Amino acid sequence: MLITEPMVNLAVHWALVDFYSDIGHGTVSNVVEAAALALKSGINVNCGNTYTALVEAVQKGFVDESLIDKRLKPLLKTRFKLGMFDPQDLNPYNSIPYDVVDSKENRALAREAAARSVVLLKNNGVLPLKNDLNRYYVVGPNSASIDALLGNYFGVNSNIITFLEGITAAVAPGSQVQYSPGTTLDRKNVNPVDWSTGEAAESDVTIIGMGLTRHIEGEEGESISSPYFGDRLDYNIPENQLDYLRKIKSHGKPVVAIITGGSPMNLSEVHELADAVLLAWYPGEEGGNAIADIIFGKLSPSGRLPITFPKSLDQLPPYEDYTMKGRTYRYMTEEPMYPFGFGLSYSSFSYSDLKQSASIIKEGEMVEISCNISNNGEYPAIETVQLYIADDKASVEAPLFSLKGIKAINLKPGESKTVVFNINPDMLKLINEQGDSILEKGDFTLTISGSLPTERAIELGASKALSTKLILN
């Protein structure tokens, strides 16, 4: 919803307040009705003050106290598991010393997690880079930005590693790293004088940090650059960033784009211009070191997209349409920019020798499906193997694909491993028009692949998938 007047008292406008507020959904008329509706709908945690009205909701007969007990049960069970009601000396969490926070071991884990999450969207062969080139030029509004690392809901510490810092620490002695933001995050430079694109022409490679930060897509008061309080009505990244990328690339030297953000965005022109595109998301305190590990080939990228990147907003149904038709990898028939599950590696993989233990399955049974995955490239790498199931003859509109399994395997160059998935009838269920989970007899397609098994994924460089049929009898 586009809001055209200033918002006030944002501190109380949480999700359940939207049920009745003037600038919200207007589903009910007051806080008591909102509390009752939320509780009946299954909400057991309210981050706000709406549930203080549950006492009045019970008094007015809007909800029964027994329903409150039911909603409390899983919350209390979690608190019991955490030992919150145990004597202090019996709770193992109380014996964890504070010095484990930001410890060497935990920072190593943060670095690994960040590196594993990076998705390589394009690579024309420029990556991995050698770390002993003469001159590296690091540019862009997000290259030295802490905001580009942290997103929303974060803690801070004394050693947050930006992309610039990670890259600088990873190059060999004698190599030169230069830096300039070049352009602002979301608007044209006030000063039209541009020295940085000339510097890019003199460098061996330019690494540009660009995309979004919480200032554009954050929550309400955090999104200080957003006229829509953190909502995005524009699918594109800021035009000034693209203008800068165009100038940098005009010199013909290699360009590596590091993209930050937490939502899909139009990367069509970035993909066209840059020699390599890395989606870093918001990689956290060790994000700079993680990106350096990827860029310089210490690790091969293994991240996969957990969302679909449309080519444009025109490919999506109207926002007010709450059906799933045309949305997500499960129902989208339009060809996306980047498919769900997609991500490249420095190595190449092949899938072969597909086997299944039976072609027919019945309730209570299980079928095993397996295939061999081979690393045909020169780099040790992790392949993220995915299992998709499609209902070929459903009586209702069923998903085009459903991800039902995922396994990450580490392969040395020339090494092969067998990946096994177990299929049970519960994995073949669908949801009917009444919202019930049902099991229908019929034909199903099982696919093992490294991405959503579509022509677009293959076009972008994904491994070819293997498919087989299964009959539910």
Side-chain angles (χ1 to χ4, degrees):
M1 179 177 68
L2 176 60
I3 300 169
T4 56
E5 60 185 61
M7 296 180 68
V8 295
N9 199 16
L10 289 174
V12 299
H13 284 289
W14 301 307
L16 301 190
V17 176
D18 285 341
F19 282 9
Y20 63 91
S21 70
D22 293 337
I23 60 172
H25 310 302
T27 309
V28 297
S29 59
N30 56 57
V31 64
V32 180
E33 293 177 1
L37 175 60
L39 197 76
K40 290 178 179 179
S41 300
I43 304 298
N44 62 3
V45 174
N46 169 222
C47 182
N49 55 11
T50 300
Y51 271 0
T52 58
L54 282 175
V55 174
E56 187 174 349
V58 172
Q59 292 171 347
K60 290 185 175 181
F62 293 165
V63 294
D64 294 328
E65 191 172 343
S66 60
L67 182 58
I68 295 178
D69 293 339
K70 182 178 179 181
R71 296 288 182 258
L72 275 173
K73 187 175 180 180
L75 301 180
L76 290 173
K77 185 176 180 180
T78 299
R79 297 183 72 183
F80 287 140
K81 286 183 177 180
L82 292 172
M84 296 177 69
F85 300 101
D86 294 338
Q88 185 168 344
D89 58 342
L90 294 181
N91 186 337
Y93 299 110
N94 288 328
S95 63
I96 299 175
Y98 186 77
D99 58 15
V100 304
V101 177
D102 202 33
S103 65
K104 180 180 179 180
E105 293 77 14
N106 284 348
R107 291 194 69 97
L109 182 60
R111 183 170 181 167
E112 179 186 2
R116 289 286 299 274
S117 71
V118 172
V119 183
L120 179 61
L121 298 174
K122 176 188 175 180
N123 185 23
N124 66 6
V126 69
L127 292 180
L129 295 173
K130 295 180 179 179
N131 78 331
D132 59 354
L133 300 179
N134 182 49
R135 179 188 287 182
Y136 303 86
Y137 198 31
V138 181
V139 300
N142 292 346
S143 290
S145 168
I146 290 177
D147 288 308
L149 301 177
L150 298 181
N152 284 121
Y153 294 97
F154 54 80
V156 295
N157 60 56
S158 61
N159 190 29
I160 299 175
I161 310 298
T162 65
F163 300 141
L164 173 63
E165 291 171 319
I167 292 165
T168 303
V171 301
S175 294
Q176 184 182 86
V177 177
Q178 292 187 326
Y179 162 71
S180 172
T183 186
T184 62
L185 177 67
D186 64 337
R187 58 206 65 193
K188 290 183 179 180
N189 294 354
V190 175
N191 181 353
V193 178
D194 177 15
W195 291 348
S196 65
T197 53
E199 295 285 351
E202 302 299 321
S203 300
D204 295 292
V205 62
T206 297
I207 302 167
I208 178 170
M210 57 192 303
L212 310 177
T213 74
R214 65 186 176 122
H215 299 315
I216 294 175
E217 64 172 358
E219 277 197 284
E220 296 180 327
E222 284 201 334
S223 52
I224 56 178
S225 295
S226 169
Y228 310 117
F229 312 101
D231 290 334
R232 290 179 56 213
L233 302 190
D234 187 349
Y235 184 54
N236 301 306
I237 61 175
E239 184 66 20
N240 64 294
Q241 293 189 34
L242 292 176
D243 285 339
Y244 184 62
L245 176 61
R246 294 176 191 123
K247 290 192 292 184
I248 290 291
K249 185 56 182 175
S250 68
H251 294 295
K253 293 294 185 70
V255 175
V256 175
I258 304 170
I259 309 298
T260 63
S263 59
M265 64 197 87
N266 183 2
L267 296 178
S268 298
E269 190 167 2
V270 176
H271 188 96
E272 178 184 346
L273 293 173
D275 297 276
V277 181
L278 288 164
L279 181 60
W281 309 102
Y282 295 121
E285 64 188 10
E286 284 286 333
N289 286 329
I291 280 292
D293 289 342
I294 297 291
I295 285 178
F296 295 113
K298 186 175 181 180
L299 296 172
S300 178
S302 61
R304 297 293 185 267
L305 291 180
I307 50 178
T308 301
F309 276 56
K311 291 180 179 178
S312 71
L313 285 186
D314 294 337
Q315 291 187 319
L316 297 178
Y319 187 77
E320 296 85 354
D321 182 355
Y322 273 41
T323 68
M324 290 302 295
K325 186 176 182 180
R327 299 187 186 281
T328 78
Y329 80 96
R330 289 161 62 84
Y331 297 96
M332 185 176 181
T333 56
E334 299 273 359
E335 181 181 83
M337 180 64 203
Y338 299 115
F340 175 89
F342 174 72
L344 299 173
S345 169
Y346 291 154
S347 211
S348 59
F349 302 93
S350 60
Y351 289 60
S352 63
D353 198 21
L354 182 66
K355 296 178 180 178
Q356 64 188 102
S357 59
S359 58
I360 298 175
I361 188 172
K362 298 180 181 180
E363 286 195 59
E365 295 181 346
M366 185 175 67
V367 169
E368 184 180 279
I369 180 174
S370 65
C371 76
N372 288 336
I373 316 293
S374 299
N375 183 346
N376 301 321
E378 300 176 357
Y379 298 92
I382 295 173
E383 173 67 337
T384 307
V385 186
Q386 301 156 45
L387 169 69
Y388 292 91
I389 297 180
D391 191 326
D392 298 338
K393 299 179 180 179
S395 62
V396 297
E397 187 173 355
L400 302 170
F401 305 95
S402 293
L403 178 67
K404 294 296 183 179
I406 185 167
K407 293 186 178 181
I409 56 170
N410 212 326
L411 294 170
K412 299 175 184 177
E415 185 180 14
S416 298
K417 289 182 181 179
T418 299
V419 173
V420 179
F421 292 101
N422 293 316
I423 313 296
N424 61 64
D426 281 345
M427 299 165 68
L428 309 178
K429 288 182 177 179
L430 55 82
I431 306 298
N432 64 16
E433 298 296 339
Q434 290 71 46
D436 301 318
S437 178
I438 61 174
L439 189 61
E440 287 187 345
K441 295 181 180 180
D443 299 341
F444 297 81
T445 299
L446 313 180
T447 303
I448 299 179
S449 61
S451 176
L452 189 71
T454 60
E455 292 183 7
R456 178 59 176 164
I458 299 298
E459 179 184 319
L460 289 168
S463 304
K464 290 186 177 181
L466 296 177
S467 296
T468 186
K469 295 292 184 180
L470 181 65
I471 300 173
L472 176 63
N473 199 342

